[in-house]
Amino acid sequence: MASLLRLPSLLSPSKPLLRRRLPAASSAVGAAAPATAAETRGGDREGQVTPRSVDFNAWYTDVIAAAELADYGPVRGTMVIRPYGYAIWEAIQDYLNVKFKETGHSNMYFPQFIPYSFIEKEASHVEGFSPELALVTIGGGKELEEKLVVRPTSETIVNHMFTKWIQSYRDLPLMINQWANVTRWEMRTKPFIRTLEFLWQEGHTAHATLEEAEKEAMQMIDVYTKFAYEHAAIPVIPGRKSRVETFAGANRTYTIEAMMGDKKALQAGTSHNLGQNFSRAFGTQFMDENGQTEHVWQTSWAISTRFVGGIIMTHGDDAGLMLPPRIAPIQVIIVPIWKKGDEKAAVLEAVDSVQKILKEAGIRVKVDDSELRTPGWKFNHYEMKGVPVRIEIGPRDVTNKSVVVSRRDVPGKQGKEFGVSMEPSILVNHIKGRLEDIQASLLQKAITFRDSNIVDVSSYGELKEAIAEGKWARGPWSASDADELKVKEETSATIRCYPFEQPEGIKKCFMTGNPAEEVAIFAKSY
Amino acid sequence: MASLLRLPSLLSPSKPLLRRRLPAASSAVGAAAPATAAETRGGDREGQVTPRSVDFNAWYTDVIAAAELADYGPVRGTMVIRPYGYAIWEAIQDYLNVKFKETGHSNMYFPQFIPYSFIEKEASHVEGFSPELALVTIGGGKELEEKLVVRPTSETIVNHMFTKWIQSYRDLPLMINQWANVTRWEMRTKPFIRTLEFLWQEGHTAHATLEEAEKEAMQMIDVYTKFAYEHAAIPVIPGRKSRVETFAGANRTYTIEAMMGDKKALQAGTSHNLGQNFSRAFGTQFMDENGQTEHVWQTSWAISTRFVGGIIMTHGDDAGLMLPPRIAPIQVIIVPIWKKGDEKAAVLEAVDSVQKILKEAGIRVKVDDSELRTPGWKFNHYEMKGVPVRIEIGPRDVTNKSVVVSRRDVPGKQGKEFGVSMEPSILVNHIKGRLEDIQASLLQKAITFRDSNIVDVSSYGELKEAIAEGKWARGPWSASDADELKVKEETSATIRCYPFEQPEGIKKCFMTGNPAEEVAIFAKSY
């Protein structure tokens, strides 16, 4: 089966790069502590991943391979999410799942096979999705009478069921969510960002009024925004999509737009006010308090495994992944270091005690005491994996009852603190403090990067210039859909959103000179 | 689209039974406390579900509809898992997910689309699964060059990836799990028990030796057994499948077999020692410590949403579902009762305080203070939903600073305790004690039922008699596969397992009179 997704030959999955550079087991046993930093890193560093500045896309796929986040599936465009990548997704799930329940939603599960006729019921929906469908035509050895669509999104089947369950205003609001896989036959694929099958959550709600639906759609984009800022340290810009970019079947789409390390925009989550489009198509009605029959007002909203790609491309550097502590599967990696066999017992005892102290304090900590790898190899490995904090413990540290603490986000000696006390309360406070510092610092760095790469424009010429520099352009806009498509054709940039946060004052559309109510943000995007 | 799955017309999903019997909103406001139990129940009880003794299958589907556990999807044989049913599945997931991680497994995700050629690689696997496959033949509007199988189980794609990831003994053991949907084109379907698409977890491991793989397969069937006994209160019988009943592609299949309320057996979980069958088919090899290349030894193991069906059919009664407290989404339902408007505030205040006390003690508690339903309706509703404990609080209870506690598993007055103190420590101890009593009592009842319905047989005639009575037959067995198939043909019973727990002493095969090493259990099954 031909694959559009090809790793550079350097990273061919059958010959993983890191594995090839492994020292033989025998030479690594009794892992020696090198005298200098240079010795520690040895030649391990070189060629590990393509530098970000040289080729951002190659860097991205290299990091995914080297940090063991994902691999390519046998079918073109599919992806295997490996344990470390999946653990990041689980961290996203853990946070959102609680928030969804707090805001009154219940989890449930809808079948993934949808009768083809359902997709055709909502006119703009079928137009948006039909080119991307995977169809089951054979089941149990027989040609099926009606083709089945493998769920690309569930609005149609949800409405089919809602129509059964909703009779009266007393059945509203109906607020549910499902964690599921979805399939979209994408031609240009990229791990996490756009794959033939991906994982997501999709919320679906039905309400008695437009106002309630609108409030719900806004509430959920707000949940996503908070998650992005506070947990993923991604300073997304929340806003409303243009008509052209609105979800197929929605009246309004709200979005969170994130700036990646190459300055391209990533749509990281969306929330749709569906109005009565699906309830009219599927006859989802209720009897109101006055005995009148009305169609329900609906929303849907989703975040997917694409978000993992957003985390990689926001924070990563040439040494690999860099994870915000709040979503890092491992927050602290402890590496024991000893030269002579008789030092081992004391070092490992101290390591064990430090691990226990941190674990009890609720910190996600891992010890790598494998004797098959050198400390230098481990340093690189966990930097590649983006672990926020590293603790080294050697014989001298044991004597001094202290440890060495290194920050993933501050390279070299500046990020290193020697002589941090092993005394439980001091150590815990220190590490918790560092994790908070890193969380805040990653967000601040991303905000600075974002803000220095958004240009306010007041003419189409200025927009073209900003986009040509790879930046985002923000300017007043009230031109036509046709003008929007012209901008796309000429610059490859699209309206990412009309941001919720709008400048004060009178605005004039930079394209037409007509009055404009809002500024829009234009950018190239994934 | 025609559906093989049809609810009795009484329970047509478009006219839910419970909803039809609702009192009008106005008559329910200011919900009155009836003077007697008879008044409380009114006529609500009648016709709610088909009695278990009259028609077990109708009872089962009635309970699923009335307790809002699931509904039928639009495609024949598919099921929508509704929030309450899904919450039971989440309770199963929460427990097992922790156990899997404790035993060294990591979660990950494999694509659900498998090239058709993969399925053909392992001879017995293709034979077992090919009649049940759903095939995607069209993607993105084009006929595909190779048909794609929608995952019926993942051994083939797992081995394809393991072959990439495993090179050396240092990469072993590789122990992973995934939570996923799977598709099997079943002709006879039944909600939860056998559906076209279902949810499950599938563990997959690779080891350096047969012994390690065998130990892992046994460890996981042990995890399932403990879960069944200690959480689901289902006294499963763990054992080994006969050759005839072994998983397509496995050397050995271990199983947990549960006796349902109609005495039919349910295979509630399986763990397979796959030997080197898949590693040979996919070339999954490793270099051992001596530099020799060998094929890995593997296991796979799974529990699915079928287990929810097992819980319903083990514990349920004519009043509906009965949930073991440890997996009940709601452990305690509080129903406020008042007659006059001026009683309401004090009752609701007490209800609120009791809820808070129980919640803080870690008990899963819900208050139903809706004024649209009468207390009697609520009593029936939460009995139908199998909530283990009900607390009623009325004006007299507020005065006495006490509550009324009812057990779901003990009907009528015997299950009711009056005057249980609201004092936090007394109340919490009381409720926790009752939840433990109910958990233990459900298990004991199921054990008694199971043991009184297993007959030890020493001749084929005795087996036929036991099976004709709907019971399980246990007897020494060393006859041929052909004999086993003859038993199936003549009695509809199959070997459920050779139980791990074997009687002492010399055994003689009840079919052939030859020496037998083990007893086998025969039963009709789902």
Side-chain angles (χ1 to χ4, degrees):
Chain A
M1 178 139 293
S3 171
L4 285 183
L5 287 173
R6 288 239 177 267
L7 281 165
S9 62
L10 185 69
L11 281 173
S12 157
S14 57
K15 290 178 185 172
L17 184 68
L18 291 175
R19 198 163 283 136
R20 274 193 293 148
R21 290 186 297 91
L22 269 190
S26 57
S27 75
V29 170
T36 69
E39 263 185 66
T40 304
R41 322 308 283 231
D44 281 353
R45 212 59 199 247
E46 280 169 24
Q48 202 142 326
V49 299
T50 309
R52 235 175 72 132
S53 53
V54 170
D55 182 340
F56 192 83
N57 286 322
W59 167 83
Y60 177 73
T61 47
D62 285 1
V63 167
I64 286 173
E68 298 172 318
L69 296 170
D71 205 339
Y72 298 103
V75 174
R76 180 201 68 79
T78 63
M79 168 178 69
V80 180
I81 307 179
R82 301 185 69 178
Y84 196 62
Y86 198 82
I88 298 172
W89 178 237
E90 285 181 310
I92 294 172
Q93 289 187 301
D94 287 346
Y95 173 89
L96 290 179
N97 211 28
V98 169
K99 288 293 160 200
F100 295 160
K101 289 182 180 180
E102 278 176 10
T103 45
H105 306 89
S106 301
N107 285 334
M108 61 180 300
Y109 188 76
F110 290 87
Q112 76 164 340
F113 290 159
I114 300 174
Y116 190 80
S117 58
F118 280 26
I119 302 288
E120 294 174 313
K121 287 195 183 182
E122 211 286 331
S124 60
H125 196 65
V126 66
E127 195 189 317
F129 281 101
S130 64
E132 295 183 357
L133 300 177
L135 301 178
V136 173
T137 62
I138 298 171
K142 291 203 184 111
E143 194 83 24
L144 302 179
E145 280 178 39
E146 180 175 12
K147 293 189 289 278
L148 302 179
V149 174
V150 185
R151 153 178 71 212
T153 181
S154 299
E155 279 77 7
T156 58
I157 194 166
V158 164
N159 264 82
H160 175 79
M161 299 309 299
F162 274 16
T163 302
K164 286 183 169 191
W165 299 332
I166 297 170
Q167 269 88 38
S168 138
Y169 68 94
R170 284 173 292 182
D171 302 320
L172 299 175
L174 184 50
M175 298 164 81
I176 63 97
N177 176 64
Q178 82 171 351
W179 294 95
N181 55 343
V182 271
T183 297
R184 296 180 186 176
W185 210 269
E186 303 276 2
M187 294 319 293
R188 284 169 41 244
T189 58
K190 189 182 181 74
F192 289 112
I193 298 304
R194 185 174 279 109
T195 48
L196 202 139
E197 179 192 5
F198 56 96
L199 304 181
W200 78 350
Q201 61 68 215
E202 48 179 325
H204 297 273
T205 68
H207 306 267
T209 65
L210 168 63
E211 292 67 33
E212 252 189 67
E214 177 65 15
K215 200 174 147 194
E216 165 77 3
M218 287 292 283
Q219 170 180 258
M220 299 325 288
I221 204 69
D222 195 45
V223 165
Y224 293 159
T225 305
K226 279 212 178 70
F227 168 70
Y229 269 84
E230 294 173 12
H231 285 256
I234 301 181
V236 295
I237 295 185
R240 196 182 79 255
K241 284 282 181 194
S242 68
R243 270 191 306 270
V244 170
E245 300 285 334
T246 292
F247 174 74
N251 283 357
R252 283 186 178 189
T253 290
Y254 299 113
T255 179
I256 50 173
E257 297 288 323
M259 185 185 284
M260 301 294 96
D262 62 352
K263 293 176 271 181
K264 280 171 86 173
L266 185 77
Q267 176 181 303
T270 49
S271 177
H272 314 294
N273 183 333
L274 302 171
Q276 295 178 318
N277 300 332
F278 287 92
S279 64
R280 287 182 186 280
F282 284 84
T284 319
Q285 296 179 301
F286 72 103
M287 192 165 291
D288 73 12
E289 299 191 39
N290 307 314
Q292 298 294 312
T293 298
E294 287 189 64
H295 289 97
V296 298
W297 300 86
Q298 294 185 261
T299 80
S300 66
W301 27 276
I303 266 188
S304 76
T305 37
R306 156 177 276 211
F307 208 98
V308 177
I311 292 167
I312 302 168
M313 290 200 281
T314 300
H315 302 300
D317 64 11
D318 285 353
L321 196 58
M322 197 178 316
L323 290 177
R326 288 196 190 148
I327 54 160
I330 306 167
Q331 295 174 312
V332 176
I333 179 71
I334 307 180
V335 178
I337 299 174
W338 72 88
K339 272 185 188 162
K340 304 171 212 142
D342 60 357
E343 294 166 348
K344 180 178 162 181
V347 166
L348 289 187
E349 196 186 320
V351 161
D352 194 53
S353 139
V354 167
Q355 180 188 28
K356 224 169 137 185
I357 289 164
L358 297 180
K359 207 170 213 168
E360 271 169 20
I363 294 164
R364 296 189 288 277
V365 57
K366 181 187 154 94
V367 168
D368 187 346
D369 56 5
S370 160
E371 299 193 7
L372 300 172
R373 321 289 197 193
T374 62
W377 185 94
K378 292 176 189 174
F379 291 2
N380 288 349
H381 183 68
Y382 294 100
E383 283 179 11
M384 181 59 70
K385 289 197 165 235
V387 176
V389 165
R390 179 179 74 231
I391 292 179
E392 301 157 38
I393 304 178
R396 205 180 304 167
D397 302 305
V398 173
T399 310
N400 298 340
K401 294 190 190 305
S402 71
V403 302
V404 181
V405 175
S406 298
R407 284 173 67 151
R408 170 65 181 85
D409 64 326
V410 183
K413 288 213 169 133
Q414 274 137 312
K416 217 157 177 167
E417 292 167 291
F418 296 89
V420 176
S421 169
M422 276 188 205
E423 200 281 312
S425 67
I426 298 177
L427 183 65
V428 165
N429 274 338
H430 186 93
I431 297 297
K432 283 196 170 171
R434 281 301 159 272
L435 292 172
E436 278 170 34
D437 293 347
I438 295 167
Q439 183 78 33
S441 169
L442 290 185
L443 178 62
Q444 194 46 59
K445 214 173 118 196
I447 290 175
T448 306
F449 180 75
R450 179 197 70 183
D451 290 346
S452 65
N453 286 298
I454 302 181
V455 180
D456 282 305
V457 299
S458 52
S459 72
Y460 187 33
E462 285 177 18
L463 177 134
K464 281 182 176 165
E465 199 179 317
I467 298 298
E469 285 172 11
K471 297 187 173 184
W472 292 15
R474 179 173 49 202
W477 180 262
S478 63
S480 66
D481 294 356
D483 279 335
E484 187 179 336
L485 292 169
K486 185 182 98 175
V487 174
K488 184 175 179 181
E489 201 163 299
E490 293 179 357
T491 69
S492 300
T494 50
I495 296 185
R496 303 318 305 157
C497 68
Y498 296 101
F500 292 145
E501 213 180 288
Q502 287 282 334
E504 302 277 317
I506 296 163
K507 303 175 195 85
K508 232 171 64 179
C509 176
F510 70 78
M511 182 62 90
T512 62
N514 294 332
E517 284 186 15
E518 295 171 291
V519 298
I521 292 176
F522 289 77
K524 291 186 191 172
S525 72
Y526 280 100
Chain B
M1 177 139 293
S3 170
L4 284 184
L5 287 173
R6 288 241 177 266
L7 281 165
S9 62
L10 186 68
L11 282 172
S12 158
S14 57
K15 291 177 184 170
L17 185 65
L18 292 175
R19 198 164 282 134
R20 276 192 292 146
R21 288 187 298 93
L22 269 189
S26 58
S27 75
V29 171
T36 68
E39 262 185 68
T40 305
R41 321 310 282 231
D44 282 353
R45 212 61 198 246
E46 279 170 25
Q48 201 141 327
V49 300
T50 308
R52 235 175 72 132
S53 53
V54 170
D55 183 340
F56 192 83
N57 286 322
W59 167 84
Y60 177 73
T61 46
D62 285 1
V63 167
I64 286 173
E68 299 174 316
L69 296 170
D71 205 338
Y72 298 103
V75 175
R76 181 201 67 82
T78 63
M79 169 178 67
V80 180
I81 307 180
R82 301 186 69 178
Y84 196 62
Y86 198 83
I88 298 172
W89 178 237
E90 285 181 311
I92 294 172
Q93 289 187 302
D94 287 347
Y95 173 89
L96 290 178
N97 211 28
V98 169
K99 288 292 158 199
F100 296 159
K101 288 181 181 180
E102 278 176 11
T103 44
H105 307 89
S106 301
N107 285 334
M108 61 180 299
Y109 188 76
F110 290 87
Q112 76 164 341
F113 291 158
I114 300 173
Y116 190 80
S117 58
F118 280 26
I119 302 288
E120 293 174 312
K121 285 195 186 185
E122 211 286 329
S124 61
H125 196 64
V126 66
E127 196 189 316
F129 281 100
S130 63
E132 295 183 358
L133 300 178
L135 301 177
V136 172
T137 62
I138 298 171
K142 290 203 185 111
E143 194 83 22
L144 302 179
E145 281 178 40
E146 181 177 12
K147 292 189 289 277
L148 301 179
V149 174
V150 184
R151 154 178 71 211
T153 181
S154 300
E155 279 77 7
T156 57
I157 193 166
V158 164
N159 264 81
H160 175 80
M161 299 309 299
F162 275 16
T163 303
K164 287 182 168 190
W165 299 331
I166 297 170
Q167 269 88 39
S168 137
Y169 69 94
R170 285 173 292 183
D171 302 319
L172 298 176
L174 183 51
M175 298 163 81
I176 63 96
N177 176 63
Q178 83 172 349
W179 295 94
N181 56 342
V182 271
T183 298
R184 296 180 186 175
W185 210 269
E186 302 277 3
M187 293 319 294
R188 285 171 39 243
T189 58
K190 191 183 181 73
F192 289 113
I193 297 306
R194 185 173 280 108
T195 47
L196 203 139
E197 179 192 5
F198 56 96
L199 304 181
W200 77 351
Q201 60 68 217
E202 48 179 326
H204 296 274
T205 68
H207 307 266
T209 66
L210 169 63
E211 292 68 33
E212 252 189 67
E214 177 65 15
K215 202 175 146 191
E216 165 76 3
M218 287 292 283
Q219 170 180 257
M220 299 324 288
I221 205 68
D222 195 44
V223 165
Y224 292 159
T225 305
K226 279 211 178 71
F227 169 70
Y229 269 85
E230 294 174 13
H231 286 256
I234 301 181
V236 295
I237 295 186
R240 197 182 79 255
K241 284 283 181 193
S242 69
R243 270 191 307 270
V244 170
E245 300 285 334
T246 292
F247 175 74
N251 282 359
R252 283 185 179 189
T253 290
Y254 299 113
T255 179
I256 51 173
E257 297 288 323
M259 185 184 284
M260 301 294 96
D262 62 352
K263 294 175 270 179
K264 280 171 86 171
L266 184 78
Q267 178 181 302
T270 49
S271 178
H272 314 294
N273 183 334
L274 302 172
Q276 295 177 317
N277 299 332
F278 288 92
S279 64
R280 287 184 187 278
F282 285 84
T284 319
Q285 295 179 301
F286 71 103
M287 193 164 291
D288 72 11
E289 299 192 38
N290 307 315
Q292 298 295 312
T293 297
E294 285 188 67
H295 288 97
V296 298
W297 301 85
Q298 294 185 260
T299 80
S300 66
W301 27 276
I303 266 188
S304 76
T305 37
R306 156 177 276 212
F307 208 97
V308 176
I311 291 167
I312 302 168
M313 290 200 280
T314 299
H315 302 300
D317 65 11
D318 284 353
L321 195 59
M322 197 179 315
L323 290 177
R326 289 197 188 147
I327 54 160
I330 306 166
Q331 295 174 313
V332 176
I333 179 72
I334 307 180
V335 178
I337 299 174
W338 71 88
K339 272 186 189 161
K340 303 168 214 145
D342 59 357
E343 294 166 347
K344 181 177 163 183
V347 166
L348 288 186
E349 195 187 321
V351 161
D352 195 54
S353 139
V354 167
Q355 181 189 26
K356 223 168 138 187
I357 290 164
L358 297 180
K359 209 172 212 167
E360 271 169 19
I363 294 165
R364 294 188 290 276
V365 58
K366 180 187 155 92
V367 169
D368 187 345
D369 56 5
S370 160
E371 298 194 9
L372 300 172
R373 321 289 197 195
T374 63
W377 186 94
K378 293 176 188 175
F379 291 1
N380 288 350
H381 183 68
Y382 294 101
E383 284 180 11
M384 180 60 69
K385 289 197 166 238
V387 176
V389 166
R390 179 179 74 231
I391 292 178
E392 302 156 39
I393 303 179
R396 203 179 306 166
D397 302 305
V398 173
T399 311
N400 299 338
K401 293 189 190 307
S402 70
V403 301
V404 182
V405 176
S406 297
R407 284 173 66 151
R408 171 65 180 85
D409 64 328
V410 182
K413 288 213 169 133
Q414 274 137 313
K416 217 156 176 168
E417 292 167 291
F418 296 88
V420 176
S421 169
M422 278 189 204
E423 199 281 312
S425 68
I426 298 177
L427 183 66
V428 165
N429 274 338
H430 186 92
I431 298 296
K432 283 196 170 170
R434 281 301 159 271
L435 291 172
E436 278 170 34
D437 294 346
I438 295 168
Q439 183 78 32
S441 169
L442 289 185
L443 177 62
Q444 194 46 58
K445 214 174 120 199
I447 290 174
T448 305
F449 180 76
R450 180 196 69 185
D451 291 346
S452 65
N453 286 299
I454 302 181
V455 180
D456 283 303
V457 298
S458 52
S459 73
Y460 187 34
E462 285 177 19
L463 176 135
K464 282 181 176 166
E465 198 178 319
I467 298 298
E469 285 172 12
K471 297 187 172 185
W472 292 16
R474 178 174 48 202
W477 181 263
S478 63
S480 65
D481 294 356
D483 279 334
E484 187 178 337
L485 293 169
K486 186 182 96 174
V487 174
K488 184 177 181 181
E489 203 163 297
E490 293 178 357
T491 69
S492 300
T494 50
I495 296 185
R496 303 318 304 158
C497 68
Y498 296 100
F500 291 146
E501 213 180 288
Q502 286 283 334
E504 302 277 318
I506 296 163
K507 302 176 196 80
K508 233 171 63 180
C509 175
F510 70 76
M511 182 62 90
T512 61
N514 293 332
E517 283 186 15
E518 294 171 292
V519 297
I521 292 175
F522 290 77
K524 291 185 191 172
S525 71
Y526 280 99

